Amino acid sequence: MSSRHAARHARVRMMAAVATVCTLSAAPLAPRAVAADTPPYSETYRPQFHFTPEKNWMNDPNGLVYYQGEYHLFYQYNPNGNSWGDMSWGHAVSTDLVHWEQLPLALSHDDQEMVFSGSAVIDRDNSTGFGTKANPAMVAVYTSYRKDTGVQAQSLAYSTDRGRTWTKYQGNPVLDIGSKDFRDPKVQWYAPTRSWLMTVSMSAEHKVRFYSSKNLKDWNLQSEFGPSGATGGVWECPDLFPLAVDGDKKKIKWVLVVNINPGGIAGGSAAQYFVGDFDGTKFTAEDKGTYTPPAGTVVQDFEGTDFGSWTTTGTAFGQAPAAGAVDGQGTVGGFDGTGLANSFHSGDGTTGTLTSPSFTVDSKYLNFKVGGGRHPHVDGTATEQEPPPAGTVLGDFEGGTYGGWTATGDAFGTAPATGTLPDQQKVSGFLGSGLVNSYANGDSGTGTLTSPEFTLDMDYVDFLVGGGDHPAGSDHPTAVELLVDGKVVRSTTGQDDEALDWASWDVKDLAGKQAQVKIVDDNSGGWGHLNVDHVVLSDTRARPVSQETAVNLIVDGKVVRSATGSNSETLDWASFDLRPYAGEQARIQLVDLNTGGWGHVLADRFTTADTPAKSVVQRADWADYGKDYYAAVSWEDAPGGKRYMIGWMNNWDYGGTIPTSPWRGAQSIPRTMGLRTVDGRVRLISQPVNSVRSLWQPHPVSASGVTVEDTSTPLIGPAAQGTTLDIEATFSLQDADRFGLKVRTGADGEETVIGYDTTAQELYVDRTHSGAVDFDSTFPGVQTAPLRAENGKVKLRILVDRSSVEVFGGSGEVAITDQIFPDPASQGVRVFAENGAVRLDEAVVRHLGSAHE
């Protein structure tokens, strides 16, 4: 694993602001200008019934506890900016989990530590001595991150005034094992042993530890759980709680929630869970048995002495199937038989392709095993660097001067570089003999380089960029910025690589405006520099070189399906849905265009079948199948023994680049959790808290008994339109392949599709055309969740806010939470059916008022 990917996996929480995946075609940081006097909570995209701080960055919910009529929501918060940093605990309280009052900062970072995630309890017996039995202390148990060493340990703070003011314990830390990946303690009172129970993550080891204490200060290790289930990323923010199965209080099971990043079901961050038993010392997950993939027809199993009719380019795949690992490679596992395709020949530095003959698609699914690097295919990329687009050159940095560009600081020197600078790794990919290279004084140099003003009279600004991956808006960026009226409206970074590659900004919406390009190096740490060349204003979008390590399905010359490994030498099942391409000619292509860490792909056992194979990740259990539900934890001491859970409504893949200001980050709607037997297995179910109904406005609108066939039509009419809606709908299956509702529909095909696929038996949300999606390549796409119809019917509950949808399927068996950033004018709601008919038994649309009023 390269140091960059190792750092991303091991330091996601600390480095989130600079570890987001940087797109080569960044969208505006704030697509629509917000007037300086815009009242708080009325800004574009501002959620109206999900908690957001008035300003600044927020991520994980922390310290969830109910006390004296108040639900406390603490949260990871940067008091000093709209990007991750200076982690502290923000604070809000609510009496109903819907209307929130933001309170002053609770636990602040200081010169020695940042205050990472944790939990809070009420010390009713005064076991700590921090309060009295008459006035028990609220005690926060948090991870203190030592700035000087990077060590993560568990510490205490306490409050005796209902969480309004806090004192850090002088004996901190109370649990320190010297680890840099030991975090997010969830503490609760365990009555059978009259002791405190801590559930805490050994994040890099994919383990959860359980500790016991009588006084919250002295902790004894009880047991460990894991690795198990999905392990493609770090394990974080664990939670453990009991629930009755099917409402039977005599049948109790325990739920262990383990949030994972990356490697979630929809990519990036997600909330995984296990159902099992807890005996006060040890958690034992239910045995789910072994997995048998669907039977089918083997197309290619790589068991021969050569690739047969499959053809290769380059050298990465060698001349024949590999018999496991090749020279210099770690142990390869998970393949079938004795052979597989392996592009690690001569190491990660080689590239190439392996392509099947053309075939006619006559099966529903193509199942196969894949491993190796997690470098997805990105549409609009090229297989090699292309010539510069035609247009107006704003800077080619030839001739030994910066021309009219203005430099500040010492990073850029007095003139363009002519290639690699002293002590720098080899720089490549620039044009001609000159380029901008801010390594003039090593990574310690800082400064800016700004172009003369120019008119945006073409569709794109294209440029070559390499160097550090430190986004604009982070504490110390290395970024190329587009300024309009002095404000940053576009931004792109390097990818921690000295090779320059094309990046492109779509500036059609800024036509006619005056602009400047500003190259910013404000970073003196690792990869604290940028390489830039050939800035051109053009009507052609430049195509970057693909960095993929992928298995692709190609139809009509286009990649229509793609899968990657998970930065692992162990192969796992993947599946392509072939149904849309029935009767068409297709090819399978294994592609390795990556020369960095994990720059290889493994594949085996291509099999056509009637049902899809499922990967370990797909076979794991998930509290939510969307892109934007992470760090999910639950409240302690809720009235009536209820279990309410909330998650950060964002994803580390793009969390630092979502287009919101002056705040960034929202929490999901709190959910009532339960356990239900579904298809013979006990599953975690969720529904929005009932108090959402307090926001229902008068005069709901409804429709019933409507048959929809091969069309999309407005649901009910203008009365159903809106930006904040609570929709309940029940459909009866007929013969449609897909059906459902489209929300936030508007001009130019803008829509968020919430549908059901009858063949795959899946609920899905498609946000590909949901509004602003191009601020990160991982944002657009389709999220799916397994959902069987009950008695031929599919029930949906949909909460629509100004920048999100939360979809609950059936009786809460599955949920899909996705952020969306539509035009405020996109308010339509439509019902649709594809390739057949469906009956809409009933739909009720309720408008929701603002929780801020």
Side-chain angles (χ1 to χ4, degrees), residues 483-616:
L483 306 181
V484 172
D485 296 328
K487 296 181 179 179
V488 178
V489 296
R490 303 286 191 276
S491 177
T492 295
T493 74
Q495 297 197 19
D496 290 353
D497 193 324
E498 299 294 12
L500 285 77
D501 198 5
W502 285 111
S504 183
W505 293 323
D506 184 334
V507 292
K508 291 191 287 288
D509 62 318
L510 300 171
K513 293 187 178 292
Q514 296 296 109
Q516 291 175 288
V517 173
K518 185 176 184 180
I519 304 169
V520 178
D521 176 356
D522 189 36
N523 196 296
S524 57
W527 285 107
H529 64 279
L530 275 177
N531 309 322
V532 180
D533 196 18
H534 207 84
V535 184
V536 58
L537 195 59
S538 176
D539 283 328
T540 302
R541 180 192 286 273
R543 298 201 303 167
V545 176
S546 173
Q547 300 292 312
E548 69 195 271
T549 52
V551 177
N552 296 330
L553 181 72
I554 300 174
V555 176
D556 291 333
K558 296 180 179 179
V559 175
V560 296
R561 294 283 189 270
S562 187
T564 75
S566 59
N567 290 347
S568 171
E569 302 291 17
T570 301
L571 287 77
D572 195 8
W573 284 106
S575 184
F576 289 158
D577 184 350
L578 303 180
R579 291 174 297 159
Y581 313 106
E584 298 188 52
Q585 294 297 298
R587 288 178 294 138
I588 303 164
Q589 186 172 68
L590 283 56
V591 182
D592 176 357
L593 295 176
N594 195 292
T595 59
W598 287 107
H600 62 280
V601 63
L602 313 170
D604 194 20
R605 195 85 181 167
F606 288 87
T607 306
T608 56
D610 288 334
T611 54
K614 293 186 176 181
S615 67
V616 168

Side-chain angles (χ1 to χ4, degrees), residues 287-307:
D287 185 359
K288 298 170 68 174
T290 58
Y291 176 68
T292 302
T297 302
V298 177
V299 174
Q300 172 62 279
D301 58 9
F302 300 111
E303 293 301 301
T305 57
D306 58 28
F307 289 123

Side-chain angles (χ1 to χ4, degrees), residues 292-455:
T292 302
T297 302
V298 177
V299 174
Q300 172 62 279
D301 58 9
F302 300 111
E303 293 301 301
T305 57
D306 58 28
F307 289 123
S309 56
W310 290 46
T311 58
T312 63
T313 64
T315 61
F317 290 93
Q319 301 300 311
V326 298
D327 289 348
Q329 188 174 24
T331 302
V332 173
F335 61 99
D336 289 358
T338 60
L340 77 156
N342 185 340
S343 74
F344 196 76
H345 287 80
S346 299
D348 277 332
T350 54
T351 61
T353 63
L354 176 61
T355 309
S356 77
S358 181
F359 62 94
T360 302
V361 176
D362 58 5
S363 299
K364 293 181 179 179
Y365 294 93
L366 178 68
N367 299 328
F368 55 95
K369 288 191 163 185
V370 63
R374 187 194 284 116
H375 304 288
H377 170 80
V378 177
D379 288 338
T381 54
T383 56
E384 60 184 22
Q385 191 178 92
E386 296 181 334
T392 303
V393 176
L394 303 175
D396 61 8
F397 310 107
E398 302 295 313
T401 73
Y402 284 127
W405 291 58
T406 304
T408 66
D410 60 350
F412 296 93
T414 58
T418 56
T420 307
L421 293 172
D423 299 323
Q424 188 176 25
Q425 299 174 43
K426 183 180 178 181
V427 176
S428 62
F430 59 98
L431 302 178
S433 59
L435 78 154
V436 175
N437 184 339
S438 72
Y439 200 75
N441 285 283
D443 276 332
S444 62
T446 60
T448 65
L449 184 67
T450 308
S451 76
E453 200 167 60
F454 58 92
T455 302

Side-chain angles (χ1 to χ4, degrees), residues 706-709 731-736 739 832-833 836-840:
V706 178
T707 298
V708 183
E709 184 172 5
F731 293 88
S732 285
L733 303 185
Q734 293 186 355
D735 63 350
F739 62 84
F832 75 93
V838 70
R839 175 183 169 86
L840 175 63

Side-chain angles (χ1 to χ4, degrees), residues 620-638:
D621 291 317
W622 302 94
D624 194 291
Y625 287 78
K627 277 280 206 178
D628 295 308
Y629 189 75
Y630 189 61
V633 287
S634 64
W635 269 273
E636 292 299 317
D637 301 335

Side-chain angles (χ1 to χ4, degrees), residues 162-283:
R162 298 167 43 245
R164 268 54 179 183
T165 60
W166 290 83
T167 302
K168 291 182 180 178
Y169 174 47
Q170 292 299 307
N172 284 337
V174 296
L175 180 56
D176 184 357
I177 62 172
S179 172
K180 296 183 178 181
D181 290 287
F182 181 52
R183 55 181 174 264
D184 310 335
K186 176 61 186 285
V187 174
Q188 61 193 285
W189 179 251
Y190 187 70
T193 59
R194 294 199 56 79
S195 59
W196 298 104
L197 171 67
M198 178 193 293
T199 307
V200 62
S201 176
M202 301 286 290
S203 59
E205 298 178 30
H206 308 119
K207 292 181 179 181
V208 168
R209 279 187 170 183
F210 302 100
Y211 288 86
S212 181
S213 174
K214 293 296 185 181
N215 59 9
L216 292 174
K217 299 174 182 177
D218 302 296
W219 293 92
N220 297 308
L221 177 63
Q222 302 298 299
S223 66
E224 292 183 347
F225 172 81
S228 185
T231 56
V234 293
W235 279 16
E236 299 185 315
C237 302
D239 195 2
L240 180 71
F241 50 85
L243 286 172
V245 179
D246 300 323
D248 183 354
K249 293 184 179 179
K250 295 181 180 179
K251 187 178 181 182
I252 300 295
K253 287 288 184 181
W254 286 76
V255 179
L256 174 63
V257 176
V258 180
N259 292 271
I260 180 174
N261 175 67
I265 182 62
S269 316
Q272 179 181 203
Y273 73 90
F274 303 87
V275 175
D277 297 301
F278 182 72
D279 63 4
T281 299
K282 182 180 181 181
F283 176 82

